[in-house]
Amino acid sequence: MRSARRRLVRKERMTVLAVLPTSASIAPAQLSALGDDFVLASWESDGPETSGRVVPSLDGEEVRPPYTTLSVRTSWGGQRVLSILRTPRKPGATARFIAQGRVIAEAQAEPESPDLDPAFLLGSLDATARLRVVRFLFDFARSTPSLRSDAGFAGVCRRMVLELSPTPSPVTARATATDELLLCGGSLSSGFGEVTGAVIITPGAVGPAPFEVCVGSTIDRRGRTSMDLLVDRALCLPGNLLVLLGRNGLACRAFGAVPPTLPALTEHLGTPKRDTPLALRQYILRGLAQRGRSDATAAAAVRELQVLVPLPKRQVADAKRSIGASLDLAVPTGDGGLFLAGWVHDPHGLSNGLSVQTPFGGERRLEVLEHRFPREDVAKLFKSDHADRSGFIAYLPGAPEPAASLQVHAELLLGSGGSIKLVPPLRPMAPADARAAVLGSLPPHFATPHVLETVIGPAVAPLHAAHMATRREPEMVVFGKRPENPTVSVIIPLYKTLEFLRFQLSSFATDPGMDEAELIFVLDSPEQRDELVHMLHGFHGLYGLPMVLLVQSANYGYSAANNAGAAASHARKLLFLNSDVIPDRPGWLGDLVAALEERRGTGAVGPKLLFDDDSLQHAGLYFDRDVRGRWFNHHFFKGMPRDFLPACRARSVPGVTGACLLMSRTAFEAVGGFCEDYVIGDFEDSDLCLRIRGAGLDIRYVPSVELYHLERRSISKHQGYTRGVASEYNCWLHARRWSALMEELTARDWDEDSPPPPPSLGPSFGPPCAPAPASQPQSDPQPSRRSGRAHRKRR
């Protein structure tokens, strides 16, 4: 053979140019079977370590991928080269291995390659090299699906691992996480270090463990630490091996038989004497959340574990200590945001920010507690000045979590690097309760526009949306036969207050003008369902009035109740009427309908409303700023006598109250109905009026129709409204959307009875509550001073 010859190997897509040196410089390689489809070629070399890509070929043609090569140093100073390639199908074929254009090793394919000898393969290798070889096999299997499910390859891996660890320690099942998932555990040497990978070997397959391994931080007297693993029940079979790979070594564990009875995960972790490490708790929740994306049972387990085994509340509230803190409320908002409320008493300035961790390992940092306010309870505890602003609220944006976080834990960071651990109670379960907790976390007079914009608003909006998303179709109860072609559908939302129905229904029953009306009641407090059904059944028997009752599944607010009533109604005209509005005389509905039809382009009409002492409650609605520049709704001539002359003239007005508002179905649907973004019940009617105005339609006040209104009796019974900043939130949201249009409407002269021109500002209308242009309040905070406005009070 010549000392050097060149062979050009041509292939369909590539050309391999190999230089064949003397036969003495070509290392003989040995081929060993790695299952059915792959072989391992190995050879020894005492030359320099092989560098660059090693390309295998068969009879001069490069083999098809996948293939890979590893070179490790031996204890005698040489190198052992390993190459995995597809099994040659042609007996006697010559396998050559080419590096940098030269053939460095070759082997003759046999009809059947011998089984791999782990002792020979790993012999004369140190611990680091052995670990590299095992990783080499596992890494190739990870990228080659056919190899992972090859029983022959699984056998090779088993022999290889047992060569390194002949007597594996046990890993045992400890608890049932779901029907298909178990929590298993064992131990590791404290010197093992970080676990960088976990592989499970069964008789027929090799694959990564379904979840990472959780290694404890506490070292016992034997120098060992705990190891826990979530794993599928189907993998927890006797004889299966768990292989843990670390940066400095390998550990093998053998699964044992699963006991016939295992405690549930909540029982296992909730044992009074068991102090579950926080890292293990987070590991379990993170794993269950991961599986919960495709398994409803695992998703339910995430919630159950947080609810049934909560972390105990933790705070520092000792008057003898110079610093104290509590995290009273932590509400993940579902869109990645996190709302916090609590207090920090730190007169010496020792704290250096707040770190919050979710159950799934996410961390948020709050460097400065910006939004502070006094807490009388904290001032009393520490006997400090009541002006000490210990209370705080904060909103931290972030990425959505893999599942709903119901409880977080936190650390108040100290300048020295130490910390004070804080754990809040579970967040309220229902979105409505969480929304109420956020709204109730701040005294109303501290709800500045900046706080509403940056803290309250971002937290409340997704919680409110989540609550509204829980709606189901309301239950319908029909009393009598519904009118076939009603002229008007009268929609009356009900919440808590039912005592005025007997007065309202008795006036309807004695009014011939109500014969063609359709009465629809919408109950927003479903706990009163049986009481109301009994009451309406009695009124139907007494008066013979046909009625429809819609029972909402929960309290979704004034807008949702009206929209539900409109969706179930049949008439071409819709009258939205409060349950505490009582007509003064018969015939009022026909007069209101006539006023709506009198002028083309009228979008809505509203009547004169009276207090029970005959003073004016409403003669049209207008908008004005308070001394702080905030927009509020006001009623013309409120508190003036019933026959006050300016209030006795029909005219266009900026808006009318939703306590009694008539409009056509066409207009209602065109503007998208009532906006459901407002909380509890405030500003929805003026929002609707502004949508009507924005659509270029007129709104008219009809003084010839008079009704009594016992104002705001229902909303006063809602604790979420009376004890929090719901009104301030609604006011802010209303002004944010409509400030520009309200400014334009306020600048007009409403004394003349002529329809004003359509506004130049307003939203484009699409689906319900399409957002209006965001507008900040104008710089001039002074309220308007227009003639004819008396007794300016909030609604």
Side-chain angles (χ1 to χ4, degrees), residues 419-729:
S419 64
I420 296 175
K421 299 188 182 302
L422 304 172
V423 179
L426 278 172
R427 62 153 278 183
M429 297 294 102
D433 295 335
R435 180 192 64 186
V438 171
L439 290 169
S441 63
L442 179 72
H445 53 284
F446 287 98
T448 64
H450 180 60
V451 169
L452 291 164
E453 181 79 35
T454 60
V455 181
I456 300 296
V460 168
L463 293 172
H464 180 70
H467 171 58
M468 301 303 287
T470 64
R471 275 181 296 182
R472 303 190 300 270
E473 284 294 319
E475 176 193 2
M476 179 180 289
V477 183
V478 180
F479 303 89
K481 183 180 179 181
R482 299 181 67 174
E484 294 183 0
N485 296 299
T487 57
V488 180
S489 292
V490 181
I491 299 164
I492 304 171
L494 298 171
Y495 176 78
K496 298 293 186 181
T497 302
L498 305 178
E499 57 263 31
F500 301 109
L501 281 181
R502 61 191 181 98
F503 302 109
Q504 194 177 64
L505 285 174
S506 64
S507 69
F508 291 169
T510 57
D511 185 351
M514 297 295 295
D515 291 346
E516 299 301 319
E518 177 185 43
L519 289 180
I520 299 177
F521 294 97
V522 186
L523 181 64
D524 218 24
S525 46
E527 66 276 8
Q528 294 178 291
R529 185 258 185 206
D530 293 342
E531 176 188 358
L532 182 58
V533 168
H534 177 75
M535 181 184 296
L536 294 181
H537 181 77
F539 285 136
H540 174 68
L542 179 63
Y543 299 124
L545 285 172
M547 294 174 287
V548 174
L549 171 64
L550 301 177
V551 183
Q552 299 272 66
S553 56
N555 175 21
Y556 295 109
Y558 173 81
S559 288
N562 278 325
N563 287 341
S569 66
H570 293 157
R572 297 178 62 185
K573 293 182 176 61
L574 305 174
L575 175 70
F576 300 100
L577 188 70
N578 281 11
S579 63
D580 55 1
V581 172
I582 314 297
D584 178 51
R585 63 178 71 89
W588 62 279
L589 184 56
D591 292 343
L592 211 54
V593 170
L596 180 66
E597 297 176 341
E598 180 181 2
R599 298 195 182 197
R600 187 176 180 181
T602 300
V605 296
K608 179 190 293 184
L609 296 180
L610 306 169
F611 289 116
D612 52 7
D613 64 356
D614 269 2
S615 62
L616 285 169
Q617 187 264 326
H618 170 267
L621 182 149
Y622 68 95
F623 311 102
D624 202 0
R625 296 181 187 271
D626 67 1
V627 293
R628 295 168 57 187
R630 299 175 301 172
W631 284 104
F632 283 104
N633 301 339
H634 301 268
H635 295 172
F636 285 108
F637 317 123
K638 188 171 183 177
M640 300 300 286
R642 176 179 189 169
D643 56 356
F644 184 59
L645 187 59
C648 296
R649 183 164 50 84
R651 62 195 180 105
S652 294
V653 288
V656 291
T657 177
C660 183
L661 183 152
L662 178 69
M663 64 187 305
S664 69
R665 180 183 297 276
T666 301
F668 182 78
E669 293 176 350
V671 302
F674 280 92
C675 178
E676 298 181 358
D677 288 355
Y678 295 92
V679 175
I680 302 168
D682 212 359
F683 292 92
E684 295 101 324
D685 52 357
S686 55
D687 184 280
L688 179 65
C689 289
L690 288 164
R691 298 169 76 78
I692 294 170
R693 284 285 175 194
L697 299 173
D698 192 19
I699 301 174
R700 295 190 59 78
Y701 162 62
V702 185
S704 60
V705 178
E706 298 180 326
L707 301 93
Y708 287 96
H709 183 203
L710 305 175
E711 189 182 27
R712 300 173 74 80
R713 298 300 177 92
S714 296
I715 199 172
S716 64
K717 296 189 177 184
H718 199 298
Q719 292 184 355
Y721 186 90
T722 57
R723 295 184 180 180
V725 297
S727 179
E728 284 74 13
Y729 172 78

Side-chain angles (χ1 to χ4, degrees), residues 131-184:
L131 181 60
R132 289 184 64 194
V133 171
V134 175
R135 281 187 178 277
F136 173 66
L137 293 177
F138 288 156
D139 288 344
F140 187 73
R142 183 184 298 116
S143 62
T144 313
S146 62
L147 196 58
R148 292 200 300 268
S149 57
D150 189 317
F153 178 71
V156 168
C157 292
R158 176 181 294 273
R159 295 195 301 274
M160 180 95 58
V161 169
L162 292 178
E163 177 70 21
L164 298 175
S165 181
T167 55
S169 299
V171 56
T172 59
R174 292 176 174 173
T176 301
T178 70
D179 291 341
E180 304 298 330
L181 279 180
L182 299 179
L183 177 66
C184 297

Side-chain angles (χ1 to χ4, degrees), residues 6 16-21 48-55 97-104:
R6 299 181 182 274
V16 177
L17 183 64
V19 177
L20 288 145
E49 185 171 346
T50 301
S51 61
R53 181 167 173 255
V54 176
V55 179
F97 301 90
I98 304 165
Q100 297 180 343
R102 296 177 62 84
V103 177
I104 59 174

Side-chain angles (χ1 to χ4, degrees), residues 332-449:
T333 56
D335 61 348
L338 177 64
F339 176 85
L340 305 174
W343 58 267
V344 174
H345 177 75
D346 182 21
H348 305 295
L350 303 179
S351 61
N352 195 28
L354 189 70
S355 172
V356 184
Q357 288 193 10
T358 71
F360 310 105
E363 184 178 8
R364 315 283 175 86
R365 294 285 297 261
L366 188 63
E367 303 295 339
V368 178
L369 303 178
E370 178 183 359
H371 305 293
R372 308 294 293 267
F373 54 91
R375 285 278 297 261
E376 291 187 8
D377 56 335
V378 178
K380 183 177 180 180
L381 173 65
F382 290 95
K383 297 181 175 58
S384 61
D385 186 352
H386 284 259
D388 177 17
R389 297 196 170 198
S390 299
F392 74 88
I393 59 171
Y395 174 80
L396 302 175
E401 293 278 271
S405 298
L406 302 181
Q407 190 179 32
V408 303
H409 67 280
E411 293 181 342
L412 183 68
L413 305 176
L414 302 178
S416 63
S419 64
I420 296 175
K421 299 188 182 302
L422 304 172
V423 179
L426 278 172
R427 62 153 278 183
M429 297 294 102
D433 295 335
R435 180 192 64 186
V438 171
L439 290 169
S441 63
L442 179 72
H445 53 284
F446 287 98
T448 64

Side-chain angles (χ1 to χ4, degrees), residues 10-14:
R10 301 188 180 275
K11 197 177 179 184
E12 182 176 352
R13 293 189 178 180
M14 64 179 67

